């Protein structure tokens, strides 16, 4: 289902006709790609953006749109694992991003429901963890304070308020800042050779290229699909719920997030690794909604997919040491609004030949203990997923699949995935991911086949939804 942001249709762009020559080509028309194009244009650098579908209709169109430096329990973690300087650089980079949003919106008088407010972390049972985050954040110079009495419909143990944060409507913002940009929609990148990008509509010659897709379509070198994993989370938009001042994020395992937008309350949560635990997540959120907001009415629901790096810091910078003019933006770990702005500034500085103060902590070439552990963990997931693909064909057949459900079954001696709709029509697909062949799992909430290895997703007919896979099944 579309998010509340996606109800506002953006200006449509043409696809690429023939060949193009530009200084910079950006692959991906989400928030990161559009902001990168905007800052490059501010610096008088020729740039073109190509998007395989419509701009801002991927993860950007499915965000909860919090512009905040409050990224769960991040600062105490960074100090513990990497030291004070790294944590302070991360904080300063996101503080600058927050200010840059305010500058762009103010200078251009953009009407995008931009509203300053506090952003709260809260806990029901882990006060110690939150107090440590509060102490660390203050030492880093962040304006924050602990709060005992949060104005929420359930009792909390403690809250931590980050002051002067903001939220907005991301598509209204993108509609305005993209007006003067060169953008080609329905143009899919399919290959790259030297300084030429090949698409399904023509070629683009460039001096620099930026991969600003959710997962880079080019797997080698870099192996970004193996250096991060994918998570899904779910959101309900509710009418007739009380208006909540500020933004709230629960740090406990079953914590929920809350923010208001106009007369709606956005209730989010139920995160899980893509391809695992994919059932009843909307049902769980609806149960929470009825418990705390008994008079509410659901008007929309949607889910998002997030790339998660092992150390909690995105990969932003040179795609590989083998190429001086290729750059990557990925791994926002659910905090894509400020990190998109950080990414746009870092990439712009790279292309201008300027030294950016934060490029070292975001560098994709960093390799620490967390990264090594993640590679080993993901390798294990891949082996498990690949092994499942080649195990014995199941005993179940088409007749065993109930209406409105899906199963992996034996059909004509082959292992296949079958979704049977409420009318009894069967949709049969191969059960191997087209990326590396891992066995897909059914997501009952979204009616999709999801890959537990690297997060690729396909609809019940086999059409590709999310990469790193580049084709359907």
């Amino acid at each position: 289902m579309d998010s509340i942001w996606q109800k506002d249709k953006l200006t449509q762009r043409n696809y690429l006709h023939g060949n193009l020559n530009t200084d910079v080509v950006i692959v991906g028309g989400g928030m990161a790609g559009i902001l990168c194009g905007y800052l490059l244009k501010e610096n008088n650098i020729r740039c073109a953006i190509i998007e395989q579908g419509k701009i801002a209709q991927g993860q950007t169109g499915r965000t909860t749109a919090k512009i905040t430096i409050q990224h769960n329990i991040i600062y105490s973690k960074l100090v513990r694992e990497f030291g004070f300087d790294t944590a302070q650089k991360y904080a300063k980079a996101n503080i600058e991003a927050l200010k840059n949003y305010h500058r762009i919106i103010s200078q251009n008088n953009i009407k995008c429901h931009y509203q300053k407010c506090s952003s709260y972390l809260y806990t029901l049972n882990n006060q110690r963890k939150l107090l440590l985050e509060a102490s660390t954040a203050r030492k880093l110079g962040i304006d924050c304070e602990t709060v005992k009495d949060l104005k929420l419909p359930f009792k909390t143990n403690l809250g931590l308020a980050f002051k002067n944060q903001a939220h907005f409507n991301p598509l209204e913002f993108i509609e305005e800042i993209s007006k003067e940009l060169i953008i080609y929609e329905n143009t899919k990148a399919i290959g790259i050779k030297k300084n030429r990008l090949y698409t399904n509509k023509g070629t683009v010659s460039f001096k620099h290229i930026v991969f600003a897709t959710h997962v880079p379509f080019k797997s080698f070198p870099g192996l970004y699909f193996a250096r991060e994993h994918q998570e899904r989370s779910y959101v309900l938009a509710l009418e007739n719920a009380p208006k909540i001042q500020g933004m709230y994020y629960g740090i406990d395992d079953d914590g929920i997030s809350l923010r208001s937008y106009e007369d709606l309350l956005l209730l989010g949560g139920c995160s899980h690794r893509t391809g695992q635990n994919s059932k009843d997540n909307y049902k769980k959120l609806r149960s929470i909604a009825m418990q705390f907001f008994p008079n509410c009415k659901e008007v929309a629901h949607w889910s998002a997919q997030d790339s998660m790096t092992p150390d909690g810091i995105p990969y932003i910078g040179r795609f590989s040491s083998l190429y001086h003019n290729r750059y990557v933006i990925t791994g926002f770990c659910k905090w894509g609004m400020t990190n998109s702005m950080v990414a746009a500034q870092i990439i712009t500085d790279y292309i201008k030949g300027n030294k950016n103060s934060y490029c070292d902590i975001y560098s994709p070439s960093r390799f620490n203990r967390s990264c090594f552990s993640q590679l080993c963990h993901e390798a294990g997931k891949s082996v498990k997923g690949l092994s499942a693909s080649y195990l014995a064909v199941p005993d179940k057949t088409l007749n065993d699949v109930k209406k409105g459900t899906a199963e992996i079954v034996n059909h004509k001696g082959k292992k296949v995935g079958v979704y049977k709709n409420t009318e009894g029509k069967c949709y049969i697909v191969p059960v191997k991911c087209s990326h590396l062949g891992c066995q897909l799992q059914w997501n009952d909430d979204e009616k999709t086949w999801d890959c537990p290895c690297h997060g690729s997703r396909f609809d019940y007919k086999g059409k590709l939804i999310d990469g790193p896979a580049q084709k359907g099944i």
Side-chain angles (χ1 to χ4, degrees), residues 202-417:
T203 63
V204 183
S205 298
F206 59 84
K207 295 178 182 177
H208 303 271
I209 185 169
V210 182
F211 298 94
T213 54
H214 188 63
V215 180
F217 81 91
K218 190 166 178 59
S219 296
F220 302 95
L223 293 172
Y224 290 98
F225 68 85
R227 296 169 57 195
E228 54 191 7
H229 74 273
Q230 304 297 315
E231 288 191 4
R232 296 202 66 73
S233 54
Y234 302 79
V235 184
L236 304 181
L238 306 172
E239 281 184 342
N240 301 328
K243 190 173 181 65
I244 289 179
Q245 300 300 321
M247 305 173 287
Y248 296 83
Y249 187 91
I251 68 169
D252 306 321
D253 290 341
D254 55 353
I256 58 173
S257 71
L258 298 159
R259 68 153 287 200
S260 291
Y261 175 72
E262 294 187 319
D263 61 343
L264 300 176
L265 177 66
L266 306 188
L267 169 65
C270 297
S271 294
H272 64 84
R273 184 185 174 108
T274 301
Q276 297 179 1
N277 189 34
S278 303
K279 188 176 182 180
D280 295 333
N281 293 294
Y282 288 124
K283 183 178 179 180
K284 292 172 187 174
L285 285 181
R286 287 166 185 144
S287 177
I288 293 170
M290 288 297 102
Q291 180 182 357
F292 297 118
F293 315 110
N295 297 319
C296 71
K297 176 186 176 183
E298 180 184 325
V299 297
H301 64 266
W302 67 93
S303 65
Q305 181 141 311
D306 295 282
S307 295
M308 312 295 289
T309 64
D311 57 11
I313 303 174
Y315 298 127
I316 303 168
R318 287 209 164 94
F319 188 89
S320 163
S321 59
L322 298 176
Y323 303 101
H324 73 283
N325 66 339
R326 299 183 186 182
Y327 309 93
V328 65
I329 302 169
T330 187
F332 286 152
C333 299
K334 303 187 179 182
W335 305 104
M337 295 299 99
T338 49
N339 275 319
S340 285
M341 187 70 81
V342 171
Q345 187 59 66
I346 289 175
I347 300 302
T348 298
D349 282 342
Y350 264 117
I351 291 170
K352 289 172 62 181
N354 294 345
K355 172 67 175 178
N356 186 282
S357 302
Y358 313 116
C359 63
D360 56 337
I361 67 165
Y362 287 93
S363 172
S365 65
R366 69 185 187 273
F367 200 80
N368 50 46
R369 284 184 299 175
S370 296
C371 295
F372 178 74
S373 298
Q374 180 75 1
L375 276 175
C376 294
H377 180 72
E378 294 305 319
K381 290 285 185 182
S382 295
V383 170
K384 185 178 179 180
L386 285 166
S387 299
S389 292
Y390 293 98
L391 291 176
V393 176
D395 294 330
K396 289 184 177 180
T397 67
L398 290 182
N399 292 332
D400 296 314
V401 184
K402 297 179 181 179
K403 291 181 180 180
T405 68
E407 299 275 2
I408 295 175
V409 304
N410 181 344
H411 182 59
K412 298 181 179 179
K414 294 182 179 180
K415 182 191 291 188
V416 297

